[in-house]
């Protein structure tokens, strides 16, 4: 079953580009990654899917329902975790959690208590007194406590310490095994690689690649590390060059014969050629600081 499906989904802010002709499908039970740097169009896509902003053209369907016509029905079964969570001032954590449950007309007391225990969240404290990380925990519980069929997570780990990040992803994987569908938007590539089965890469408002994480990680580019003395100045196809004492490492997608000839002209003490990880594959689609290559 298709949980999310967009067809030529486009959003312009007056003349400024948001997203352009997005065709995206997420099926039931997937842990789906949405990758791109800030400004690529991830949050615009999510806000359009949730009906928070109207598309300029195109169509978005969730649970087989049109997001512009059946938004209220759709949102009952969605848990949304924004990158920055804002709450009413003066309220206690327990009051925020109850308000969130009441808005969905559900009794989430037991699930809320369990989540707060796992995330070490004190429900007696006032929202105004919480750190950014603890506010993020409140947002996590609000998004998860009604056990939604679809979880939409926009840069979810900001503010969480490493131990809380681990616990958070443990909870997400448990929900996924129970049948929930997850859409994880992030520019932290390790989060995608370690948790998602399939992912889409977005650049300048357009999806430029969509496949399993394993397939996305398979590329003609290799990570080459050379120890010794060699002149690489004329070698084409190098990216992400890193110089260390006595060695140089780079991502290479050029002609392998040219690489071997160049290396043979120098004095090589050691050579390793490995498959790149997802972060390095990302450089195949983005240049330094997000510039197109």
């Amino acid at each position: 079953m298709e949980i999310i499906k967009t067809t030529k989904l486009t959003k312009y802010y007056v003349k400024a580009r948001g997203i352009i002709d997005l065709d995206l499908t997420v099926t039931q039970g997937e842990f789906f990654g949405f990758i791109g740097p800030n400004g690529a169009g991830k949050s615009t896509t999510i806000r359009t899917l949730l009906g928070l902003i109207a598309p300029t053209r195109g169509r978005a369907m969730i649970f087989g329902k049109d997001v512009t016509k059946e938004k209220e029905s759709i949102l009952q079964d969605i848990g949304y975790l924004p990158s920055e969570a804002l709450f009413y001032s003066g309220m206690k954590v327990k009051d925020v959690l109850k308000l969130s449950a009441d808005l969905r007309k559900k009794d989430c007391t037991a699930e809320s208590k369990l989540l707060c225990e796992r995330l070490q969240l004190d429900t007696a404290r006032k929202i105004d007194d919480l750190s950014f990380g603890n506010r993020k925990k409140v947002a996590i519980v609000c998004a998860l406590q009604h056990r939604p069929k679809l979880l939409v997570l926009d840069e979810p780990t900001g503010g969480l310490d490493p131990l809380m990040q681990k616990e958070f992803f443990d909870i997400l994987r448990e929900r996924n095994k129970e049948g929930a569908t997850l859409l994880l938007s992030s520019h932290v590539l390790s989060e995608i690689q370690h948790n998602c089965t399939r992912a889409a890469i977005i650049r300048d408002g357009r999806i430029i690649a969509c496949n399993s994480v394993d397939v996305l990680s398979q590329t003609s580019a290799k990570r080459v590390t050379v120890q010794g003395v060699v002149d690489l100045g004329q070698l084409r196809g190098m990216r992400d060059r890193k110089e260390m004492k006595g060695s140089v490492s780079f991502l290479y997608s050029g002609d392998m014969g040219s690489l071997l000839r160049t290396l043979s002209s120098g004095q090589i003490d050691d050579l390793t050629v490995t498959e790149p990880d997802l972060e390095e594959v990302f450089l195949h689609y983005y240049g330094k600081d997000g510039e197109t290559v």
Side-chain angles (χ1 to χ4, degrees), residues 241-255:
R241 177 168 170 164
K242 301 173 183 177
E243 303 232 2
M244 297 157 278
K245 187 175 181 180
S247 67
V248 59
S249 178
F250 53 90
L251 201 62
Y252 184 70
S253 57
D255 178 68

Side-chain angles (χ1 to χ4, degrees), residues 158-202:
L160 297 180
D161 64 45
L163 289 177
M164 282 299 104
Q165 288 185 29
K166 180 183 181 303
E167 186 66 29
F168 172 61
F169 279 111
D170 284 346
I171 294 170
L172 295 185
R173 285 190 290 269
E174 290 167 12
R175 293 295 178 90
N176 185 234
K177 288 181 180 178
E178 293 168 2
T181 304
L182 289 85
L183 174 64
L184 171 63
S185 169
S186 181
H187 64 268
V188 181
L189 299 180
S190 59
E191 292 180 353
I192 303 294
Q193 188 162 25
H194 295 156
N195 297 286
C196 299
T197 52
R198 201 162 64 95
I201 299 175
I202 185 170

Side-chain angles (χ1 to χ4, degrees), residues 89-251:
S89 179
M91 295 183 71
K92 291 184 177 180
V93 171
K94 60 183 179 181
D95 297 325
V96 172
L97 300 181
K98 186 176 185 304
L99 174 61
S100 177
D102 289 346
L103 289 172
R104 297 181 180 278
K105 300 178 182 179
K106 290 187 176 182
D107 181 1
C108 303
T109 305
E111 190 65 27
S112 174
K113 181 180 179 181
L114 178 61
L115 289 168
C116 289
E117 289 174 352
R118 293 186 65 173
L119 296 172
Q120 300 175 23
L121 178 62
D122 184 355
T123 61
R125 296 186 65 186
K126 286 189 175 182
I127 288 291
D128 299 341
D129 298 333
L130 297 182
S131 65
F132 177 68
N134 279 317
R135 288 183 182 224
K136 180 58 69 75
K137 293 178 186 179
V138 176
I140 290 171
V141 178
C142 286
L144 297 178
Q145 65 177 350
H146 61 293
R147 303 193 70 84
K149 297 177 183 177
L150 171 63
L151 274 165
V152 179
L153 314 164
D154 190 5
E155 305 288 353
T157 55
L160 297 180
D161 64 45
L163 289 177
M164 282 299 104
Q165 288 185 29
K166 180 183 181 303
E167 186 66 29
F168 172 61
F169 279 111
D170 284 346
I171 294 170
L172 295 185
R173 285 190 290 269
E174 290 167 12
R175 293 295 178 90
N176 185 234
K177 288 181 180 178
E178 293 168 2
T181 304
L182 289 85
L183 174 64
L184 171 63
S185 169
S186 181
H187 64 268
V188 181
L189 299 180
S190 59
E191 292 180 353
I192 303 294
Q193 188 162 25
H194 295 156
N195 297 286
C196 299
T197 52
R198 201 162 64 95
I201 299 175
I202 185 170
R203 181 180 70 191
D204 298 332
R206 298 179 184 270
I207 291 179
I208 56 173
C210 183
N211 216 317
S212 72
V213 171
D214 288 341
V215 170
L216 288 176
S217 298
Q218 294 172 4
T219 173
S220 59
K222 307 293 182 183
R223 168 59 64 178
V224 180
T225 303
V226 181
Q227 186 172 351
V229 179
V230 61
D231 182 7
L232 299 170
Q234 301 302 314
L235 187 64
R236 296 176 178 270
M238 288 191 301
R239 299 192 305 278
D240 191 32
R241 177 168 170 164
K242 301 173 183 177
E243 303 232 2
M244 297 157 278
K245 187 175 181 180
S247 67
V248 59
S249 178
F250 53 90
L251 201 62

